[in-house]
Amino acid sequence: MGAWDLLLAGLVILLGLCGILLPGVPGSWLVWAGVLWWALKDPRPLAWVVFVGATAVLLLSRAVRWALPSRRRRRDEAMRRLTAYGGAGAVLGFLLLPVLGAVPGFLGGIYLAERLRLGRHGEAMASLRTALRTGGADVLVELFACLLITGAWLGAVLAG
């Protein structure tokens, strides 16, 4: 696989990760498409193992999202800000504590945003719970699944 193909597949995966945080962009499907493109171009069996694993993780994340109680997502400016802080926290947590750090990073990012806005711990925690009930848990599940896929893809690329 050429360097340009690898770079383009990585950019599609990165666009998918950013797309999870943006409304109307099919982020998880872009991550899956980037891994598929890489698997089609790379002849090694490891590429297909990562692709099959990515497919299984995405299907599992869809099942978990469907099992969560359905709540109407509000897409106002406050929710976009919370999603941005949560996403940045998840990526930072994923890099600092691989794989498991994404969940506390996401929660910590939303908490930080609300603590800065409201100023008190109790109010920030109440707002964090409300944000998770109104669609934040869906974003967390999808983002965590795509970060797992991205980590597996990056590990396979660096391994070979």
Side-chain angles (χ1 to χ4, degrees):
M1 174 172 215
W4 285 108
D5 288 331
L6 190 61
L7 179 67
L8 288 175
L11 285 175
V12 169
I13 291 171
L14 183 63
L15 179 66
L17 284 174
C18 293
I20 292 168
L21 304 174
L22 299 172
V25 179
S28 58
W29 296 113
L30 284 173
V31 171
W32 182 81
V35 174
L36 172 65
W37 184 13
W38 169 72
L40 288 172
K41 294 281 191 170
D42 196 346
R44 296 178 300 151
L46 179 62
W48 287 100
V49 169
V50 170
F51 173 69
V52 168
T55 303
V57 166
L58 279 180
L59 290 175
L60 182 64
S61 76
R62 290 287 173 196
V64 168
R65 287 183 66 198
W66 286 330
L68 290 173
S70 64
R71 303 279 183 167
R72 173 176 272 175
R73 275 194 204 176
R74 54 175 221 256
R75 282 295 178 182
D76 56 357
E77 186 63 34
M79 191 62 177
R80 283 192 286 267
R81 183 178 48 81
L82 290 180
T83 305
Y85 270 87
V91 170
L92 184 64
F94 189 81
L95 293 175
L96 292 176
L97 181 65
V99 180
L100 298 177
V103 175
F106 183 83
L107 298 175
I110 292 177
Y111 173 78
L112 176 66
E114 290 303 291
R115 182 70 188 253
L116 291 174
R117 183 175 71 90
L118 299 171
R120 298 187 53 128
H121 170 72
E123 294 171 358
M125 287 301 292
S127 183
L128 171 64
R129 286 189 295 274
T130 302
L132 286 177
R133 284 188 206 115
T134 59
D138 289 346
V139 173
L140 176 60
V141 167
E142 188 174 1
L143 184 62
F144 185 69
C146 288
L147 283 172
L148 281 175
I149 293 168
T150 303
W153 173 78
L154 193 58
V157 167
L158 294 176

